[in-house]
Amino acid sequence: MTPVVSEEVREAVEAGRPVVALESTIIAHGLPRPRNLRVAEELEAVVRQQGAVPATIAVLDGRPCVGLDKAQLVRIATEDGIRKLGHRDLPLAVAAGASGATTVSATALLAARAGVRVFATGGLGGVHREWTVTLDESADLGLLARTRITVVCAGVKSILDVPATLQRLETLGVTVAGYGTDRFPGFYLADSGHPVDWRLDTPGQVADVMRAQDALGGPASALIVAQPVPEEDQLDPALHARVLADALRACETRGVTGQGVTPFLLDYLVRHTDGASLAANLAAVRGNVRLAAEIAGVWAEAE
Ligand code: PSU
Ligand code: MN
């Protein structure tokens, strides 16, 4: 299942130039249409502005692709029947010749296989509230415990049980640092209400940690760089709390389970905050993509 790496990405990886992996589930299932296509293109442009090469990742007609051309990006954003693929779904999608968007877990796996070390997203998946009943924990966590990649994110999605997710990351041995903060970010919110033990303040410091990971050896786990959405762009915390409580109730009432839970909750928030949650989500992702490109730049210089 060797990924099909675009020529631009392959050349950049071979030459040691900066590359940033981008996931496609946020495009296909995390953002409303038609805005999602514009966002996909904008995120790639942000990477380029920083002098790095974007590698958006997805599976098209059974082929895992690292680096999409314009037509492929359009398919992911607009085609009906684009599936949501976690890493466990990849062999099924390949064998069936299916097309799908990759979550953090599938994107991280394919990026690492293609030699891409830095990856930007919005918020990681994690332990869902009601875990004691549903046992719903995103496959993102387990995969990141086994993959050497740096993920820039705004923490984990605030629809989750954040302290339980932080605990699982600790148990699984995933390295976590706040970026420019001692507080663990809360995706739509700048502060999840929980502290983070380590803080990094510059792309150079992040690259130092990446080098130390490699020098130490040990399990090939990830580095999570958790950057908060700027406070002026965050969702109003009171609105967030109120609408999220409604969203969780609606999810239960409608019997949404499994892969459908996260897209349902994100969509509910967009519709019931008059788009404010979308604005916060986009601000977080944009900031993460920019920082990831900076980190990739410093990393490429140091290699
Ligand atoms: N970040 C966003 N929007 C998203 C996601 C992340 O801003 O839609 C996606 C990621 O692909 C993540 C997935 O891996 O949600 C988690 O889904 P689940 O909880 O079903 O594992
Ligand atoms: Mn889940």
Side-chain angles (χ1 to χ4, degrees):
M1 204 176 51
T2 318
V4 180
V5 183
S6 74
E7 199 175 303
E8 186 189 20
V9 171
R10 187 173 42 75
E11 281 176 7
V13 169
E14 277 169 12
R17 289 198 299 272
V19 180
V20 175
L22 300 170
E23 59 142 315
S24 46
T25 291
I26 178 169
I27 302 305
H29 305 287
L31 296 172
R33 297 179 190 184
R35 186 80 187 270
N36 61 344
L37 177 59
R38 292 207 306 277
V39 173
E41 289 171 338
E42 186 199 324
L43 296 179
E44 293 206 342
V46 170
V47 173
R48 290 188 196 283
Q49 275 154 26
Q50 306 291 322
V53 172
T56 304
I57 295 181
V59 178
L60 289 163
D61 308 315
R63 275 188 318 236
C65 297
V66 177
L68 304 183
D69 62 25
K70 164 91 197 197
Q72 291 173 321
L73 208 57
V74 169
R75 285 189 63 187
I76 287 298
T78 63
E79 207 170 275
D80 289 327
I82 293 287
R83 297 186 64 135
K84 174 176 166 183
L85 308 174
H87 69 94
R88 74 169 186 158
D89 303 308
L90 290 174
L92 292 157
V94 167
S99 298
T102 49
T103 67
V104 168
S105 73
T107 306
L109 173 71
L110 293 171
R113 288 286 312 275
V116 179
R117 181 67 180 258
V118 183
F119 168 22
T121 183
L124 299 182
V127 179
H128 283 258
R129 299 165 192 227
E130 300 295 313
W131 180 87
T132 51
V133 179
T134 62
L135 295 190
D136 189 350
E137 173 184 327
S138 174
D140 291 355
L141 303 186
L143 193 279
L144 292 177
R146 290 180 264 133
T147 305
R148 181 50 49 83
I149 195 157
T150 298
V151 188
V152 183
C153 59
V156 303
K157 282 189 273 287
S158 53
I159 56 174
L160 301 167
D161 184 333
V162 176
T165 304
L166 286 169
Q167 181 53 56
R168 285 293 290 154
L169 287 166
E170 181 181 340
T171 304
L172 289 164
V174 181
T175 302
V176 179
Y179 190 84
T181 180
D182 301 300
R183 310 292 299 171
F184 191 68
F187 187 51
Y188 295 125
L189 308 176
D191 181 352
S192 68
H194 303 274
V196 60
D197 292 336
W198 293 87
R199 170 183 179 140
L200 301 170
D201 287 292
T202 65
Q205 288 175 354
V206 176
D208 288 344
V209 177
M210 292 161 66
R211 238 187 326 274
Q213 279 184 309
D214 291 350
L216 285 162
S221 52
L223 166 62
I224 294 177
V225 177
Q227 171 173 246
V229 63
E231 212 159 306
E232 62 272 21
D233 294 324
Q234 75 171 351
L235 188 57
D236 170 42
L239 179 65
H240 175 264
R242 183 159 46 77
V243 178
L244 179 56
D246 293 345
L248 291 166
R249 262 194 306 274
C251 192
E252 203 186 327
T253 311
R254 294 189 209 173
V256 181
T257 57
Q259 282 193 327
V261 172
T262 297
F264 176 85
L265 293 174
L266 296 181
D267 176 62
Y268 190 100
L269 265 99
V270 173
R271 287 187 291 108
H272 293 81
T273 61
D274 211 10
S277 79
L278 178 60
N281 191 349
L282 292 180
V285 180
R286 272 190 210 108
N288 295 339
V289 170
R290 197 171 311 116
L291 176 58
E294 287 170 12
I295 293 167
V298 177
W299 179 246
E301 274 168 35
E303 253 180 322

